[in-house]
Amino acid sequence: MSTSGSNTGNRPLYIGVSTKMYMGYQASLRWLSEVRSFVDDRPGLAAKDSPVRVFVIPSFPVLEPAGRILAGSPVLLGAQNCAWGDGPLTGEVSPGMLAELGVSLVEIGHAERRRLFAEDDAVVARKVRAAVGHSLTPLLCIGEPDKLDAGAAADFCVGQVLAATEGDSALAARLVLAYEPVWAIGAQEPAPPQHVNAVLTRIRAALGPGCPIIYGGSAGPGLLPQLPAADGLFLGRFAHDAANLARVLDEALLLRQTDAPANSSSSRS
């Protein structure tokens, strides 16, 4: 899963969904089959040089059948978490096993993991290194806990990235960053586009163009064209209706087919 490039129309847009624990086993399989169907109906997603990359992150028990449902599809399979190793870690899932299951990226450092399971920067850093050690792409979640101005929010997020990578720029280049302001997760509306564009522009200025930065936090159809500074969207509950995911995929394809005019006018505020 390449993370090279700069914030231009040449960089792929990443569109992904985490189902968290909102779906049961059979419902998850039905949803994955619907996603597969919608992706198959869009030939532009299947090309090796497709400008849009799709990923799905179902619950752990669904990963094996998900791999079978998505076989031969361009959809990338992700996991919602991983352990920092293997062995005596009862109840955890190792990055090595995830790799065996065909997982290509793993979500690390989500705000819920930090808040509910006390995962601090040190734990996140261990997981990032473990994932990369098994050739998985860490989808590192970053975001300020409270509403801050764009400069302060960006500083907070950059600090999270530096902590997660222990200042290793080569490691940082292996990431996909998911900017999810904690106050926007589960909210009625996403964070204001002006705020998101300003924060992402500042993060990119601080970290360089080494990795994609996507936006998550009550994201849904209609948002992507308003975020010229974003390299895609990390969708939540709105995309649990697969038809809404299809709408976002159409928006992403249209942006790239028209030479991504939104991405050529990134906010510099």
Side-chain angles (χ1 to χ4, degrees):
M1 188 172 181
S2 173
T3 58
S4 62
S6 59
N7 188 28
T8 69
N10 294 324
R11 168 177 282 183
L13 289 172
Y14 291 82
I15 306 296
V17 186
S18 170
T19 63
K20 299 193 178 184
M21 289 179 59
Y22 286 112
M23 299 181 191
Y25 188 85
Q26 295 300 330
S28 295
L29 300 186
R30 289 192 294 270
W31 179 80
L32 286 161
S33 295
E34 291 176 357
V35 170
R36 171 69 191 261
S37 179
F38 281 124
V39 169
D40 286 348
D41 287 343
R42 289 158 174 79
L45 298 173
K48 290 183 178 180
D49 59 348
S50 174
V52 179
R53 298 180 185 177
V54 188
F55 64 88
V56 293
I57 308 182
S59 300
F60 280 132
V62 184
L63 289 177
E64 193 276 333
R68 287 188 275 107
I69 290 171
L70 300 174
S73 162
V75 180
L76 302 168
L77 183 60
Q80 295 181 17
N81 186 32
C82 72
W84 58 71
D86 54 18
L89 294 169
T90 302
E92 293 294 302
V93 179
S94 72
M97 180 177 285
L98 294 178
E100 285 188 67
L101 286 168
V103 168
S104 60
L105 76 163
V106 57
E107 189 177 356
I108 297 175
H110 191 278
E112 292 160 0
R113 299 294 313 180
R114 293 177 185 266
R115 184 182 79 253
L116 298 175
F117 300 98
E119 292 190 1
D120 59 15
D121 288 340
V123 169
V124 170
R126 292 182 71 182
K127 290 186 174 188
V128 165
R129 287 198 177 275
V132 169
H134 287 276
S135 300
L136 301 175
T137 295
L139 178 65
L140 179 65
C141 298
I142 57 176
E144 70 276 20
D146 303 302
K147 291 185 178 181
L148 303 172
D149 64 57
D155 288 345
F156 183 89
C157 292
V158 170
Q160 288 184 307
V161 176
L162 294 177
T165 59
E166 299 172 316
D168 185 338
S169 59
L171 183 59
R174 300 285 298 272
L175 308 177
V176 172
L177 300 178
Y179 171 56
E180 296 189 297
V182 178
W183 48 271
I185 297 173
Q188 289 296 109
E189 300 288 339
Q194 182 179 7
H195 173 81
V196 175
N197 288 321
V199 172
L200 296 189
T201 299
R202 285 169 166 80
I203 293 173
R204 197 179 306 283
L207 298 177
C211 59
I213 313 175
I214 64 178
Y215 171 78
S218 303
L223 180 61
L224 184 62
Q226 301 180 65
L227 299 181
D231 294 312
L233 293 179
F234 191 21
L235 304 166
R237 65 190 186 280
F238 294 114
H240 296 168
D241 177 347
N244 282 333
L245 171 59
R247 290 172 59 192
V248 175
L249 294 176
D250 287 337
E251 292 170 355
L253 286 167
L254 181 60
L255 281 173
R256 282 302 184 249
Q257 288 168 357
T258 55
D259 199 24
N263 277 351
S264 65
S265 57
S266 298
S267 169
R268 300 294 177 183
S269 61

